[in-house]
Amino acid sequence: MSSANRQWRVARYPQIDEPISTALFDWVETGIPTPGDGEFVVRSICLGTGPAQRGYLSPGRGEFLSLVPLGQVMRGRGVGQIVSSRHPDYPAGRIFVGSLGWQDYSVQQPRGKQFVFSTKLVAEPIRPLSLELGILGQAGVTAYFGLIEVGRMKPGDRVLVSAAAGGVGSVVGQIARIQGAETVVGVAGTDEKCRWLTRTLGLSAAVNYRRDDLDARLAELFPNGIDLFFDNVGGATLDTALLHLAERARVVICGFISSDYRRDPGPGPINYRKLVSRRARMEGFVVFDYWERFAEAEAALRDWYAQGLLHSCEDIDEGLENMPASLASLFSGTNRGVKLCRVAPDPAPGPG
Ligand SMILES: NC(=O)c1ccc[n+]([C@@H]2O[C@H](COP(=O)([O-])OP(=O)(O)OC[C@H]3O[C@@H](n4cnc5c(N)ncnc54)[C@H](OP(=O)(O)O)[C@@H]3O)[C@@H](O)[C@H]2O)c1
């Protein structure tokens, strides 16, 4: 166990199109905190990354991406173990998921369902605990509710997913397959990712948007149109996919990483006009709106995982010191699956 609390604190905000790097943070070592009345201290085991973390460093983003003040520990979700407690419902030893921040130890208190601080005690932890940030965590539940609730996925649908080899996308493609899609096509940025999508995750086909002619490939792969498009990237990919919608298609807007945090995000999608002739629907969502139903998604995801239907796709860096690089990898596209950073080994299984 570390004898100090190592932290990444925000030193400055990036320029609009500046990549994430260690230059934005200060590495600080401080004492291990002790809990006050009603509080408990959590030791981080794995920390998650997400494109939204870039928004926490971007003044003026508003909405749910509230800024992390300069000098504060960088915000981020993680799974950890309670090591000391002055709260009767959160005893030492239990496994906890919440906003731990980029640090070894955090002081926590139950915060109800304020969405960015959504927390939980893990009732029946399964190993490795990183699963709590991957298929059983935000990536899994985002894919689940986005596809099933927002996208109204039904058997026989012809499904397209972008950033298909990323954290959310890799679960979306698999759930679509499990739910009986007729076709599941993934869009990704390298041939190696495309091979992985078809050979390992069982998708019907994959398109490398950096090399292939996406428009031509979608015409070949969806001669009768796309019923459900789960979009993680926006921009040109969204605009091209809109040309290939089937009647009554559903377009799920999960994210728009291709145009976010760019000095020139480019024009908006012009092909939204297809929504009219195709009687189609395009809808965005925020996963934390489903917080009270997370247990339902987790039960389904656990079940599929236990049956061997759902692969856990984790891309894990070792060490807290790598958090800035882990986050940066989402924007350079070098991650495959859910990008995480392991800060400490899983503790031996106990009663928690
Ligand atoms: N709505 C919600 O509640 C919610 C919740 C969680 C996440 N999200 C969103 O879901 C999306 C996926 O999140 P994630 O955490 O799973 O990240 P991720 O997909 O693991 O990582 C991002 C991926 O996006 C692709 N990408 C990066 N820059 C791109 C560009 N300029 N053009 C096209 N593709 C690009 C890269 O893959 P390639 O190799 O394919 O380029 C990269 O691996 C993000 O947009 C995120 O903001 C939304």
Side-chain angles (χ1 to χ4, degrees):
M1 190 179 287
S2 1
S3 55
N5 188 16
R6 303 168 304 158
Q7 302 176 321
W8 282 111
R9 295 187 187 175
V10 179
R12 68 172 173 85
Y13 302 126
Q15 298 298 310
I16 179 111
D17 44 13
E18 179 184 357
I20 297 292
S21 75
T22 53
L24 304 175
F25 305 97
D26 287 325
W27 175 263
V28 175
E29 295 195 8
T30 182
I32 296 174
T34 50
D37 206 21
E39 295 178 336
F40 51 98
V41 171
V42 176
R43 183 191 186 207
S44 303
I45 296 168
C46 277
L47 298 176
T49 63
Q53 291 175 342
R54 180 76 164 75
Y56 305 155
L57 301 172
S58 305
R61 287 304 298 265
E63 302 184 34
F64 58 98
L65 300 180
S66 64
L67 202 63
V68 179
L70 294 178
Q72 300 265 310
V73 174
M74 177 60 186
R75 185 188 304 137
R77 287 177 73 72
V79 58
Q81 185 176 38
I82 300 176
V83 290
S84 57
S85 177
R86 291 184 59 194
H87 192 299
D89 299 334
Y90 292 80
R94 294 293 301 271
I95 300 300
F96 177 84
V97 177
S99 185
L100 306 188
W102 291 11
Q103 58 188 340
D104 287 306
Y105 295 92
S106 56
V107 178
Q108 301 284 336
Q109 51 192 187
R111 287 196 179 92
K113 56 184 179 174
Q114 273 178 281
F115 58 89
V116 281
F117 301 115
S118 302
T119 61
K120 69 168 188 183
L121 277 179
V122 183
E124 293 169 19
I126 57 174
R127 310 278 160 160
L129 293 171
S130 53
L131 288 168
E132 290 295 334
L133 301 177
I135 54 168
L136 303 180
Q138 202 164 299
V141 293
T142 302
Y144 180 93
F145 288 116
L147 195 69
I148 291 174
E149 290 289 323
V150 187
R152 301 179 197 171
M153 158 90 204
K154 50 186 192 312
D157 272 349
R158 293 157 299 199
V159 177
L160 178 71
V161 52
S162 59
V168 174
S170 60
V171 190
V172 170
Q174 295 189 80
I175 297 178
R177 170 178 49 71
I178 294 166
Q179 293 289 91
E182 179 189 300
T183 306
V184 189
V185 176
V187 179
T190 67
D191 288 346
E192 185 272 330
K193 287 185 181 184
C194 288
R195 276 193 296 277
W196 179 71
L197 289 171
T198 52
R199 292 179 189 172
T200 305
L201 303 193
L203 270 56
S204 323
V207 182
N208 180 346
Y209 71 92
R210 291 184 197 275
R211 197 205 49 193
D212 298 338
D213 178 340
L214 184 61
D215 190 28
R217 291 287 287 136
L218 293 183
E220 278 167 33
L221 293 163
F222 293 97
N224 298 312
I226 298 164
D227 296 309
L228 201 171
F229 174 35
F230 191 110
D231 187 26
N232 288 308
V233 308
T237 299
L238 169 61
D239 210 27
T240 304
L242 288 172
L243 290 173
H244 297 273
L245 298 183
E247 288 269 320
R248 305 280 169 200
R250 291 134 278 147
V251 180
V252 178
I253 303 297
C254 180
F256 29 83
I257 194 167
S258 75
S259 57
D260 230 358
Y261 315 115
R262 303 277 291 267
R263 197 171 296 280
D264 174 16
I270 187 65
N271 298 327
Y272 75 91
R273 297 182 288 203
K274 284 282 179 192
L275 297 175
V276 174
S277 58
R278 299 290 184 237
R279 283 84 171 166
R281 187 169 59 83
M282 186 151 92
E283 185 176 342
F285 75 107
V286 175
V287 67
F288 289 111
D289 292 346
Y290 295 91
W291 175 245
E292 289 180 0
R293 291 178 53 198
F294 270 30
E296 166 196 326
E298 287 168 10
L301 293 158
R302 272 180 184 239
D303 191 39
W304 291 326
Y305 179 63
Q307 290 182 55
L309 296 171
L310 182 64
H311 293 268
S312 166
C313 308
E314 295 177 351
D315 182 342
I316 304 190
D317 288 333
E318 292 292 330
L320 182 66
E321 56 276 23
N322 286 312
M323 276 311 290
S326 297
L327 178 56
S329 76
L330 304 181
F331 297 92
S332 60
T334 49
N335 69 306
R336 196 180 75 179
V338 183
K339 188 67 180 183
L340 306 169
C341 216
R342 181 167 283 283
V343 178
D346 280 5

